[in-house]
Amino acid sequence: MKMELIQPFINAADAVLAQGLKSPMSIGNVSMEEEAYRRKGVAALVWITGDIEGRIIFDLDPETSVRVASQFAGTELPESDDLVRETVCELANQVIGNAVTTLNDEGFHFRVHPPVLHTSEHGSKSSEDTEALVICFETASGNVFMNIALRYNRRRQSERTAAAGTS
Amino acid sequence: MEQFAPVRRSKDGQPVRYLVVDDSVFARKNLAQMIETFGGQLAGEAGDGMTALTEYERTNPDIVLMDITMPQMEGIEAAEKIVRQHPEARIVMVSSVGYQENIVAALQRGARHFVQKPVKPEVLYEVIKYVLGEDGTVAQAAGAGA
């Protein structure tokens, strides 16, 4: 997975988290996920289709999700509140929407699907074709994990290359 | 949350009535809070474009705040259908996906403006005043000196 694909997601997460949490954040551990995805707590999954395809998961342990959602909502929320899960989904939606906006302005075209709660404990293992990168954002409310598995759509890529060659 | 000078309807001085359309309950609550700080009134809510059409007919709002990426019917299609029936409808698209093609498509189909998420209240407030034009009046904030 190329950095040109990842950087817009990091920038968008930085902007959205910093604004919503009203405090700075830093990037912690960045790793390639070799084993199957294992959910940490409250996780929102967004699929992307188009020139680049794949999925992005935002994952927060239960305590962090409550603190983050409470900060975004401006009021203390209980762990059982549906609004906690809703907030994690909206957080994913905003980060991915902003990143996709940047990538689109660079010439990539996508469709972003509405976020869904990722409820199963495990996900599929990453492959050579679709590597998963896990980025940990360290915030005052706890760690927010972004798990990105994207790949270039080969058919679209060859069309783009052909178009570039003829222009 | 910051308070703003209330924006009223020019014709009767009543609060501006809003329909908020977003599949995220969190986003709807967040926008409803902002509307309150603008001195507005929440006329209705919808979680998808299909429901937005019926809610528009039921509530006849002054302004619609419409997300784009939603299940069943997306916001741009819903905006187009509302404007076809009600050319006077004032629809502001509110979405995290803010690339130029999306904005142009929304404006071509009848939306009046576009605000990117995460929404900054001061930005939305200015957009609301712009979209209302002469149909909106900024009232003096309560407690403000003459």
Side-chain angles (χ1 to χ4, degrees):
Chain A
M1 207 162 11
K2 292 190 174 174
M3 205 57 204
E4 65 176 4
L5 282 186
I6 303 304
Q7 195 63 48
F9 290 92
I10 294 174
N11 294 347
D14 186 8
V16 171
L17 285 169
Q19 186 182 327
L21 299 176
K22 298 176 183 68
S23 66
M25 51 141 260
S26 59
I27 297 173
N29 193 32
V30 179
S31 60
M32 296 303 296
E33 189 172 75
E34 291 171 358
E35 299 303 317
Y37 166 73
R38 183 186 288 267
R39 183 164 59 86
K40 294 174 175 59
V42 180
L45 180 151
V46 176
W47 287 100
I48 290 175
T49 52
D51 291 343
I52 297 161
E53 296 188 326
R55 58 96 179 125
I56 296 134
I57 300 171
F58 264 82
D59 197 351
L60 290 72
D61 70 52
E63 294 79 19
T64 302
S65 67
V66 173
R67 285 193 293 267
V68 167
S70 298
Q71 274 284 342
F72 271 75
T75 182
E76 286 295 315
L77 298 173
E79 190 177 330
S80 58
D81 199 316
D82 280 346
L83 204 52
V84 172
R85 288 170 284 282
E86 276 281 345
T87 305
V88 174
C89 280
E90 182 60 13
L91 173 67
N93 183 43
Q94 290 188 9
V95 170
I96 291 157
N98 278 260
V100 160
T101 298
T102 304
L103 286 167
N104 192 279
D105 290 342
E106 290 171 7
F108 295 102
H109 297 273
F110 308 92
R111 176 172 151 69
V112 181
H113 298 260
V116 289
L117 272 177
H118 187 65
T119 50
S120 58
E121 290 298 320
H122 300 275
S124 58
K125 195 174 174 179
S126 57
S127 66
E128 198 177 318
D129 198 29
T130 313
E131 303 161 314
L133 184 72
V134 184
I135 303 162
C136 172
F137 298 101
E138 296 173 347
T139 77
S141 301
N143 292 343
V144 175
F145 294 90
M146 183 164 67
N147 184 310
I148 307 178
L150 297 174
R151 67 181 174 88
Y152 289 102
N153 181 331
R154 288 194 176 129
R155 184 175 61 79
R156 295 284 195 96
Q157 196 175 15
S158 61
E159 286 169 6
R160 281 162 57 87
T161 306
T166 55
S167 62
Chain B
M1 199 175 268
E2 187 185 350
Q3 284 290 326
F4 295 83
V7 182
R8 305 281 188 191
R9 301 196 301 202
S10 300
K11 63 180 180 185
D12 55 12
Q14 291 298 306
V16 175
R17 299 170 68 253
Y18 295 81
L19 171 61
V20 176
V21 186
D22 200 304
D23 59 326
S24 161
V25 176
F26 169 78
R28 295 205 300 269
K29 279 185 183 288
N30 195 31
L31 287 170
Q33 280 179 356
M34 286 185 204
I35 287 166
E36 203 174 311
T37 66
F38 302 162
Q41 188 182 80
L42 188 65
E45 293 184 39
D48 61 76
M50 287 290 282
T51 312
L53 305 184
T54 53
E55 277 299 283
Y56 188 93
E57 297 296 336
R58 188 182 71 79
T59 61
N60 190 26
D62 299 304
I63 290 197
V64 182
L65 302 179
M66 177 90 78
D67 187 20
I68 290 182
T69 306
M70 291 187 289
Q72 294 204 55
M73 184 190 289
E74 295 215 340
I76 294 177
E77 186 183 351
E80 184 179 29
K81 286 182 188 297
I82 289 172
V83 171
R84 202 179 293 152
Q85 292 293 319
H86 304 276
E88 76 287 359
R90 297 184 192 88
I91 301 177
V92 177
M93 308 308 290
V94 180
S95 174
S96 58
V97 184
Y99 49 78
Q100 208 166 0
E101 289 161 31
N102 243 5
I103 296 172
V104 170
L107 296 177
Q108 281 176 339
R109 296 189 197 187
R112 301 282 182 95
H113 220 292
F114 185 95
V115 176
Q116 187 163 15
K117 290 181 183 175
V119 178
K120 292 188 169 109
E122 62 274 20
V123 172
L124 184 61
Y125 181 71
E126 291 303 322
V127 167
I128 296 298
K129 286 195 295 181
Y130 175 78
V131 167
L132 282 170
E134 292 182 353
D135 293 329
T137 306
V138 178
Q140 198 159 32

